[in-house]
Amino acid sequence: MEFRTLGKTQLRVSAIGFGGIPIQRVSLKEGVEIVHAALAYDINFFDTARGYTDSEEKIGLGLKGKRHKAILATKTMARDERSMARDIDISLKKLQTDYIDLYQCHNVKTEEELAEITGPEGALVALVKAKEAGKIGHIGITGHIDQTVIKALQVYDFATVQFPRNVIEDAAEKELFPLARKKEMGVIIMKPLAGGAFKNPVLALRYLLGWDYSSIIPGMDSVEQVKNNAALAVDLKPLTDIDIQRLEDEAQTIGSKFCRRCEYCKPCPQGLDIPSFFILHSYFERYGLGDWSISRYGSIQPNVVNCIECGICESRCPYELPIREMLRQVHKDLGQ
Ligand code: SF4
Ligand code: SF4
Protein backbone atom coordinates (compact mmCIF):
# COMPACT_ATOMS: atom_id res chain seq x y z
CA MET A 1 0.00 0.00 0.00
CA GLU A 2 1.23 3.47 -0.82
CA PHE A 3 0.98 5.88 2.11
CA ARG A 4 0.78 9.63 1.66
CA THR A 5 0.98 12.62 3.99
CA LEU A 6 -2.40 14.15 4.81
CA GLY A 7 -1.18 17.72 4.35
CA LYS A 8 -0.31 19.72 7.43
CA THR A 9 -1.71 17.06 9.76
CA GLN A 10 1.43 15.07 8.94
CA LEU A 11 -0.63 11.89 9.31
CA ARG A 12 0.37 9.12 6.92
CA VAL A 13 -2.74 7.77 5.23
CA SER A 14 -3.28 4.98 2.73
CA ALA A 15 -3.62 6.32 -0.82
CA ILE A 16 -6.82 4.29 -1.04
CA GLY A 17 -9.00 5.08 1.96
CA PHE A 18 -12.28 3.65 3.14
CA GLY A 19 -15.42 5.59 2.20
CA GLY A 20 -18.09 4.89 4.80
CA ILE A 21 -21.37 5.30 2.87
CA PRO A 22 -22.02 1.82 1.38
CA ILE A 23 -21.27 -0.05 4.61
CA GLN A 24 -24.72 1.14 5.72
CA ARG A 25 -26.22 -1.44 3.35
CA VAL A 26 -24.67 -4.52 4.98
CA SER A 27 -25.32 -6.25 8.30
CA LEU A 28 -23.35 -5.38 11.42
CA LYS A 29 -21.43 -8.66 11.13
CA GLU A 30 -20.54 -8.05 7.47
CA GLY A 31 -19.61 -4.45 8.28
CA VAL A 32 -17.14 -5.62 10.89
CA GLU A 33 -15.65 -8.17 8.47
CA ILE A 34 -15.23 -5.47 5.83
CA VAL A 35 -13.43 -3.16 8.27
CA HIS A 36 -11.16 -6.03 9.34
CA ALA A 37 -10.41 -6.76 5.69
CA ALA A 38 -9.56 -3.10 5.05
CA LEU A 39 -7.01 -3.18 7.88
CA ALA A 40 -5.65 -6.50 6.64
CA TYR A 41 -5.06 -4.96 3.20
CA ASP A 42 -3.32 -1.95 4.80
CA ILE A 43 -6.10 0.57 4.34
CA ASN A 44 -5.63 2.77 7.41
CA PHE A 45 -7.78 5.80 6.55
CA PHE A 46 -11.48 5.51 7.38
CA ASP A 47 -13.99 8.25 6.60
CA THR A 48 -17.54 8.19 7.84
CA ALA A 49 -20.20 10.70 8.95
CA ARG A 50 -22.80 11.30 11.62
CA GLY A 51 -25.37 11.30 8.86
CA TYR A 52 -24.50 7.83 7.49
CA THR A 53 -26.94 6.02 9.82
CA ASP A 54 -24.99 3.13 11.43
CA SER A 55 -21.72 3.60 9.52
CA GLU A 56 -19.88 5.07 12.54
CA GLU A 57 -21.15 2.22 14.69
CA LYS A 58 -19.99 -0.48 12.27
CA ILE A 59 -16.58 1.11 11.78
CA GLY A 60 -16.25 1.59 15.54
CA LEU A 61 -17.04 -2.06 16.16
CA GLY A 62 -14.67 -3.17 13.40
CA LEU A 63 -11.87 -1.12 14.91
CA LYS A 64 -12.44 -2.37 18.45
CA GLY A 65 -9.06 -3.41 19.84
CA LYS A 66 -7.44 -2.18 16.59
CA ARG A 67 -8.03 1.53 16.89
CA HIS A 68 -4.28 2.24 16.90
CA LYS A 69 -4.05 0.89 13.34
CA ALA A 70 -6.50 3.41 11.91
CA ILE A 71 -6.71 7.10 11.15
CA LEU A 72 -10.30 7.99 11.72
CA ALA A 73 -12.25 10.79 10.07
CA THR A 74 -15.88 11.65 10.50
CA LYS A 75 -18.09 14.67 9.92
CA THR A 76 -21.40 16.30 10.66
CA MET A 77 -23.81 18.82 9.19
CA ALA A 78 -24.03 20.59 12.59
CA ARG A 79 -23.56 24.30 12.05
CA ASP A 80 -23.78 25.76 15.55
CA GLU A 81 -21.56 25.25 18.59
CA ARG A 82 -24.04 23.30 20.67
CA SER A 83 -25.00 20.81 17.93
CA MET A 84 -21.38 20.32 16.93
CA ALA A 85 -20.31 19.63 20.54
CA ARG A 86 -23.17 17.13 20.85
CA ASP A 87 -22.28 15.41 17.56
CA ILE A 88 -18.59 15.10 18.41
CA ASP A 89 -19.52 13.29 21.62
CA ILE A 90 -21.96 11.01 19.78
CA SER A 91 -19.32 10.21 17.15
CA LEU A 92 -16.79 9.33 19.87
CA LYS A 93 -19.31 7.01 21.45
CA LYS A 94 -20.43 5.34 18.22
CA LEU A 95 -16.87 4.94 17.03
CA GLN A 96 -15.92 3.48 20.43
CA THR A 97 -12.90 5.72 20.81
CA ASP A 98 -11.73 8.66 22.89
CA TYR A 99 -10.02 10.38 19.95
CA ILE A 100 -10.98 11.15 16.36
CA ASP A 101 -8.08 12.12 14.11
CA LEU A 102 -10.08 14.36 11.78
CA TYR A 103 -13.48 15.95 12.33
CA GLN A 104 -14.96 17.71 9.32
CA CYS A 105 -17.66 20.29 8.70
CA HIS A 106 -19.80 18.24 6.35
CA ASN A 107 -21.11 19.46 2.99
CA VAL A 108 -20.89 23.20 3.49
CA LYS A 109 -23.11 24.46 0.68
CA THR A 110 -23.69 28.19 1.08
CA GLU A 111 -21.98 31.30 2.34
CA GLU A 112 -24.76 31.59 4.94
CA GLU A 113 -23.85 28.16 6.32
CA LEU A 114 -20.20 29.12 6.31
CA ALA A 115 -20.98 32.34 8.19
CA GLU A 116 -22.86 30.35 10.81
CA ILE A 117 -20.06 27.80 11.19
CA THR A 118 -17.42 30.50 11.61
CA GLY A 119 -19.62 32.84 13.67
CA PRO A 120 -19.31 33.55 17.43
CA GLU A 121 -21.57 30.61 18.35
CA GLY A 122 -20.69 28.51 15.36
CA ALA A 123 -19.56 24.90 14.95
CA LEU A 124 -15.90 25.90 14.80
CA VAL A 125 -16.02 27.06 18.41
CA ALA A 126 -16.95 23.53 19.47
CA LEU A 127 -14.40 21.96 17.12
CA VAL A 128 -11.57 24.11 18.49
CA LYS A 129 -12.62 23.31 22.08
CA ALA A 130 -12.75 19.59 21.24
CA LYS A 131 -9.28 19.85 19.75
CA GLU A 132 -7.97 21.59 22.86
CA ALA A 133 -9.60 18.91 25.01
CA GLY A 134 -7.85 16.18 23.00
CA LYS A 135 -11.09 14.72 21.61
CA ILE A 136 -10.16 15.43 18.00
CA GLY A 137 -6.85 15.95 16.22
CA HIS A 138 -7.62 18.15 13.24
CA ILE A 139 -10.45 20.13 11.68
CA GLY A 140 -11.44 19.68 8.03
CA ILE A 141 -14.16 20.66 5.61
CA THR A 142 -16.14 18.83 2.93
CA GLY A 143 -18.37 20.15 0.18
CA HIS A 144 -19.61 19.82 -3.37
CA ILE A 145 -19.63 23.47 -4.45
CA ASP A 146 -16.13 24.71 -5.17
CA GLN A 147 -16.75 28.45 -4.72
CA THR A 148 -18.20 27.94 -1.23
CA VAL A 149 -15.32 25.72 -0.16
CA ILE A 150 -12.78 28.15 -1.59
CA LYS A 151 -14.36 30.88 0.50
CA ALA A 152 -14.16 28.61 3.55
CA LEU A 153 -10.45 28.04 2.98
CA GLN A 154 -9.98 31.80 2.83
CA VAL A 155 -11.67 32.42 6.17
CA TYR A 156 -10.40 29.51 8.26
CA ASP A 157 -7.22 27.45 8.35
CA PHE A 158 -8.77 24.00 7.81
CA ALA A 159 -6.31 21.11 7.83
CA THR A 160 -8.02 19.11 5.08
CA VAL A 161 -10.53 19.45 2.29
CA GLN A 162 -12.72 16.65 0.97
CA PHE A 163 -14.35 17.21 -2.43
CA PRO A 164 -15.67 15.15 -5.37
CA ARG A 165 -13.16 14.41 -8.10
CA ASN A 166 -13.26 11.84 -10.86
CA VAL A 167 -12.64 11.64 -14.56
CA ILE A 168 -15.74 13.67 -15.37
CA GLU A 169 -15.71 16.04 -12.39
CA ASP A 170 -12.54 18.11 -12.46
CA ALA A 171 -13.86 21.49 -11.32
CA ALA A 172 -11.78 21.28 -8.13
CA GLU A 173 -8.56 21.28 -10.13
CA LYS A 174 -9.26 24.79 -11.43
CA GLU A 175 -9.01 26.78 -8.17
CA LEU A 176 -9.87 24.74 -5.10
CA PHE A 177 -7.16 22.08 -5.10
CA PRO A 178 -4.40 24.51 -6.20
CA LEU A 179 -5.39 26.69 -3.22
CA ALA A 180 -5.43 23.65 -0.91
CA ARG A 181 -1.96 22.66 -2.10
CA LYS A 182 -0.70 26.22 -1.51
CA LYS A 183 -2.06 26.01 2.04
CA GLU A 184 -0.48 22.56 2.49
CA MET A 185 -3.84 20.98 3.24
CA GLY A 186 -4.63 17.31 3.01
CA VAL A 187 -6.79 16.60 -0.05
CA ILE A 188 -9.31 13.78 0.27
CA ILE A 189 -11.13 12.62 -2.85
CA MET A 190 -14.78 11.62 -2.54
CA LYS A 191 -17.03 10.29 -5.33
CA PRO A 192 -14.02 8.86 -7.23
CA LEU A 193 -16.38 6.69 -9.27
CA ALA A 194 -18.91 9.49 -9.76
CA GLY A 195 -21.36 7.87 -7.35
CA GLY A 196 -21.11 4.49 -9.10
CA ALA A 197 -21.57 5.87 -12.62
CA PHE A 198 -18.16 4.48 -13.63
CA LYS A 199 -18.36 0.80 -14.25
CA ASN A 200 -14.60 0.40 -14.60
CA PRO A 201 -13.42 1.21 -11.08
CA VAL A 202 -9.93 -0.05 -11.77
CA LEU A 203 -9.17 2.53 -14.43
CA ALA A 204 -11.10 5.33 -12.70
CA LEU A 205 -9.18 4.83 -9.43
CA ARG A 206 -5.83 4.32 -11.13
CA TYR A 207 -6.40 7.61 -12.93
CA LEU A 208 -6.85 9.40 -9.59
CA LEU A 209 -3.93 7.61 -7.95
CA GLY A 210 -1.75 9.23 -10.59
CA TRP A 211 -2.44 12.63 -8.99
CA ASP A 212 -0.97 13.96 -5.73
CA TYR A 213 -4.14 13.57 -3.63
CA SER A 214 -3.64 12.42 -0.04
CA SER A 215 -6.29 9.70 -0.09
CA ILE A 216 -8.98 8.56 -2.51
CA ILE A 217 -11.93 7.09 -0.66
CA PRO A 218 -14.22 4.88 -2.71
CA GLY A 219 -17.14 3.44 -0.77
CA MET A 220 -16.85 -0.28 -0.11
CA ASP A 221 -19.45 -2.81 0.94
CA SER A 222 -17.72 -6.15 0.39
CA VAL A 223 -14.43 -7.80 1.27
CA GLU A 224 -13.85 -8.40 -2.44
CA GLN A 225 -14.13 -4.68 -3.20
CA VAL A 226 -11.74 -3.86 -0.36
CA LYS A 227 -9.22 -6.34 -1.70
CA ASN A 228 -9.49 -5.10 -5.30
CA ASN A 229 -9.36 -1.41 -4.41
CA ALA A 230 -6.43 -1.81 -2.01
CA ALA A 231 -4.45 -3.74 -4.63
CA LEU A 232 -4.51 -0.70 -6.94
CA ALA A 233 -2.40 1.32 -4.52
CA VAL A 234 0.18 -1.40 -3.96
CA ASP A 235 1.86 -1.35 -7.32
CA LEU A 236 1.07 1.97 -8.97
CA LYS A 237 1.32 1.95 -12.73
CA PRO A 238 0.64 4.88 -15.07
CA LEU A 239 -2.29 4.51 -17.43
CA THR A 240 -1.51 3.57 -21.02
CA ASP A 241 -2.91 5.54 -23.97
CA ILE A 242 -5.45 2.73 -24.49
CA ASP A 243 -6.56 3.00 -20.83
CA ILE A 244 -7.01 6.76 -21.16
CA GLN A 245 -9.04 6.32 -24.34
CA ARG A 246 -11.31 3.80 -22.59
CA LEU A 247 -11.84 6.18 -19.69
CA GLU A 248 -12.61 9.07 -22.00
CA ASP A 249 -15.10 6.93 -23.93
CA GLU A 250 -16.88 6.01 -20.71
CA ALA A 251 -16.85 9.63 -19.51
CA GLN A 252 -18.47 10.71 -22.75
CA THR A 253 -21.22 8.11 -22.36
CA ILE A 254 -21.97 9.28 -18.81
CA GLY A 255 -22.01 13.02 -19.61
CA SER A 256 -22.43 15.53 -16.77
CA LYS A 257 -26.18 15.48 -16.07
CA PHE A 258 -26.23 12.42 -13.88
CA CYS A 259 -27.09 11.59 -10.30
CA ARG A 260 -24.10 11.00 -7.96
CA ARG A 261 -26.29 9.21 -5.39
CA CYS A 262 -25.28 11.56 -2.59
CA GLU A 263 -28.89 11.55 -1.30
CA TYR A 264 -28.81 15.20 -0.27
CA CYS A 265 -32.09 15.71 -2.13
CA LYS A 266 -33.89 13.52 0.41
CA PRO A 267 -36.31 13.45 2.09
CA CYS A 268 -38.98 14.14 -0.51
CA PRO A 269 -42.29 15.26 1.04
CA GLN A 270 -44.06 12.71 -1.18
CA GLY A 271 -41.74 9.92 -0.07
CA LEU A 272 -40.02 9.41 -3.44
CA ASP A 273 -36.65 7.70 -3.21
CA ILE A 274 -35.24 10.00 -5.90
CA PRO A 275 -31.74 8.51 -6.44
CA SER A 276 -33.13 4.98 -6.76
CA PHE A 277 -35.12 6.08 -9.83
CA PHE A 278 -31.97 7.47 -11.42
CA ILE A 279 -30.06 4.28 -10.66
CA LEU A 280 -32.78 2.24 -12.38
CA HIS A 281 -32.74 4.62 -15.30
CA SER A 282 -28.97 4.25 -15.67
CA TYR A 283 -29.45 0.48 -15.89
CA PHE A 284 -32.07 1.09 -18.55
CA GLU A 285 -29.95 3.55 -20.52
CA ARG A 286 -26.45 2.21 -20.18
CA TYR A 287 -26.46 -1.46 -19.28
CA GLY A 288 -29.08 -3.07 -21.43
CA LEU A 289 -31.33 -3.99 -18.49
CA GLY A 290 -34.48 -2.50 -20.02
CA ASP A 291 -37.08 -5.13 -19.07
CA TRP A 292 -35.67 -5.56 -15.60
CA SER A 293 -35.62 -1.79 -14.95
CA ILE A 294 -39.20 -1.40 -16.21
CA SER A 295 -40.42 -4.22 -14.02
CA ARG A 296 -38.56 -2.90 -10.96
CA TYR A 297 -39.89 0.60 -11.55
CA GLY A 298 -43.42 -0.76 -11.73
CA SER A 299 -43.04 -2.29 -8.27
CA ILE A 300 -41.86 0.89 -6.52
CA GLN A 301 -44.36 2.97 -4.59
CA PRO A 302 -44.61 5.91 -4.45
CA ASN A 303 -43.19 6.63 -7.89
CA VAL A 304 -42.80 9.62 -10.19
CA VAL A 305 -46.55 10.08 -10.71
CA ASN A 306 -46.74 11.05 -7.03
CA CYS A 307 -44.31 13.95 -7.50
CA ILE A 308 -46.05 17.27 -6.87
CA GLU A 309 -43.23 19.22 -8.54
CA CYS A 310 -42.54 21.22 -5.38
CA GLY A 311 -38.84 21.56 -6.34
CA ILE A 312 -37.52 21.05 -2.80
CA CYS A 313 -35.22 18.29 -4.05
CA GLU A 314 -33.65 20.58 -6.64
CA SER A 315 -32.87 23.24 -4.05
CA ARG A 316 -30.91 20.62 -2.09
CA CYS A 317 -29.04 18.92 -4.95
CA PRO A 318 -25.40 20.10 -4.79
CA TYR A 319 -25.06 19.36 -8.53
CA GLU A 320 -28.03 21.54 -9.41
CA LEU A 321 -29.63 18.74 -11.39
CA PRO A 322 -33.00 19.44 -13.00
CA ILE A 323 -34.46 16.60 -10.94
CA ARG A 324 -38.11 17.15 -11.93
CA GLU A 325 -37.28 17.09 -15.63
CA MET A 326 -35.05 14.03 -15.14
CA LEU A 327 -37.79 12.24 -13.21
CA ARG A 328 -40.26 12.92 -15.99
CA GLN A 329 -37.82 11.26 -18.39
CA VAL A 330 -37.49 8.29 -16.03
CA HIS A 331 -41.26 7.85 -16.02
CA LYS A 332 -41.46 8.25 -19.77
CA ASP A 333 -38.89 5.45 -20.28
CA LEU A 334 -39.79 3.11 -17.42
CA GLY A 335 -43.45 3.77 -16.67
CA GLN A 336 -44.74 1.51 -19.43
S1 SF4 B 1 -40.25 17.93 -6.80
FE1 SF4 B 1 -41.18 15.90 -6.64
S2 SF4 B 1 -39.47 14.55 -6.20
FE2 SF4 B 1 -38.77 16.63 -5.75
S3 SF4 B 1 -39.16 16.89 -3.56
FE3 SF4 B 1 -40.96 17.68 -4.66
S4 SF4 B 1 -42.38 15.96 -4.75
FE4 SF4 B 1 -40.36 15.11 -4.23
S1 SF4 C 1 -30.44 13.99 -7.37
FE1 SF4 C 1 -28.76 15.30 -6.72
S2 SF4 C 1 -28.95 15.36 -4.48
FE2 SF4 C 1 -30.20 13.64 -5.18
S3 SF4 C 1 -28.83 11.90 -5.02
FE3 SF4 C 1 -28.69 12.66 -7.10
S4 SF4 C 1 -26.93 14.04 -7.12
FE4 SF4 C 1 -27.51 13.72 -4.98
Side-chain angles (χ1 to χ4, degrees):
M1 173 63 69
E2 169 150 319
F3 289 88
R4 298 177 176 177
T5 304
L6 186 63
K8 61 184 89 174
T9 72
Q10 294 301 316
L11 294 165
R12 295 285 291 169
V13 292
S14 48
I16 290 286
F18 186 92
I21 293 179
I23 201 174
Q24 295 173 93
R25 292 198 280 264
V26 303
S27 69
L28 199 59
K29 183 170 168 288
E30 288 168 320
V32 169
E33 284 167 8
I34 291 166
V35 172
H36 287 175
L39 289 174
Y41 289 108
D42 288 336
I43 290 175
N44 78 339
F45 183 57
F46 293 81
D47 180 77
T48 177
R50 273 289 45 247
Y52 301 165
T53 61
D54 60 4
S55 173
E56 285 184 332
E57 200 180 334
K58 284 169 178 159
I59 291 173
L61 203 59
L63 293 179
K64 204 169 175 185
K66 305 171 193 288
R67 171 68 186 90
H68 60 287
K69 294 184 175 177
I71 290 167
L72 205 42
T74 190
K75 50 195 178 289
T76 171
M77 301 279 287
R79 301 302 188 225
D80 63 86
E81 180 184 356
R82 190 193 292 201
S83 321
M84 178 58 85
R86 182 203 59 209
D87 277 4
I88 292 169
D89 286 341
I90 297 173
S91 292
L92 287 164
K93 205 168 159 199
K94 298 271 182 197
L95 287 163
Q96 303 199 37
T97 183
D98 58 5
Y99 178 78
I100 292 165
D101 298 273
L102 175 66
Y103 213 101
Q104 302 153 103
C105 294
H106 189 182
N107 193 25
V108 182
K109 295 192 287 287
T110 63
E111 293 205 11
E112 290 71 34
E113 286 180 14
L114 182 60
E116 190 179 357
I117 289 166
T118 54
E121 292 174 3
L124 272 173
V125 176
L127 284 163
V128 170
K129 281 184 186 166
K131 193 175 166 189
E132 286 166 359
K135 293 179 176 181
I136 66 168
H138 304 276
I139 301 169
I141 183 165
T142 84
H144 294 76
I145 299 166
D146 59 350
Q147 289 308 316
T148 307
V149 182
I150 287 166
K151 185 91 188 163
L153 269 48
Q154 287 162 346
V155 297
Y156 186 76
D157 190 21
F158 289 99
T160 63
V161 59
Q162 181 177 153
F163 201 84
R165 168 78 166 103
N166 53 61
V167 181
I168 39 185
E169 291 176 278
D170 63 353
E173 273 303 340
K174 292 192 179 79
E175 268 185 86
L176 175 58
F177 288 169
L179 177 61
R181 287 185 188 103
K182 204 166 138 203
K183 291 170 136 308
E184 296 179 12
M185 299 174 70
V187 174
I188 302 161
I189 302 301
M190 63 156 119
K191 310 276 173 348
L193 305 176
F198 271 94
K199 291 300 157 202
N200 192 335
V202 173
L203 286 185
L205 292 174
R206 279 182 56 210
Y207 168 79
L208 292 169
L209 283 164
W211 290 72
D212 61 350
Y213 306 131
S214 313
S215 191
I216 297 144
I217 55 167
M220 306 183 211
D221 62 4
S222 74
V223 170
E224 190 67 14
Q225 263 178 8
V226 169
K227 183 179 161 194
N228 294 341
N229 288 342
L232 299 175
V234 172
D235 182 18
L236 296 187
K237 291 193 191 85
L239 295 179
T240 64
D241 289 347
I242 295 170
D243 293 336
I244 291 168
Q245 189 57 53
R246 281 171 62 197
L247 267 179
E248 283 175 357
D249 288 348
E250 190 168 4
Q252 207 163 13
T253 313
I254 296 166
S256 62
K257 206 176 84 175
F258 68 97
C259 172
R260 279 78 166 177
R261 308 181 195 178
C262 64
E263 306 213 340
Y264 292 128
C265 51
K266 292 163 78 174
C268 156
Q270 292 294 96
L272 271 69
D273 185 2
I274 299 162
S276 73
F277 294 121
F278 295 143
I279 292 168
L280 272 185
H281 199 236
S282 72
Y283 290 146
F284 172 86
E285 274 192 317
R286 296 200 279 272
Y287 304 111
L289 292 168
D291 291 346
W292 181 82
S293 310
I294 289 164
S295 135
R296 286 278 302 155
Y297 179 76
S299 68
I300 297 176
Q301 283 300 330
N303 73 19
V304 177
V305 288
N306 302 100
C307 170
I308 53 171
E309 305 252 343
C310 66
I312 291 174
C313 51
E314 288 179 17
S315 68
R316 294 182 187 140
C317 177
Y319 300 98
E320 298 179 358
L321 293 180
I323 296 176
R324 288 172 286 189
E325 179 196 316
M326 288 167 68
L327 285 175
R328 281 195 292 273
Q329 187 63 46
V330 169
H331 189 69
K332 195 169 163 211
D333 291 338
L334 304 183
Q336 306 175 8

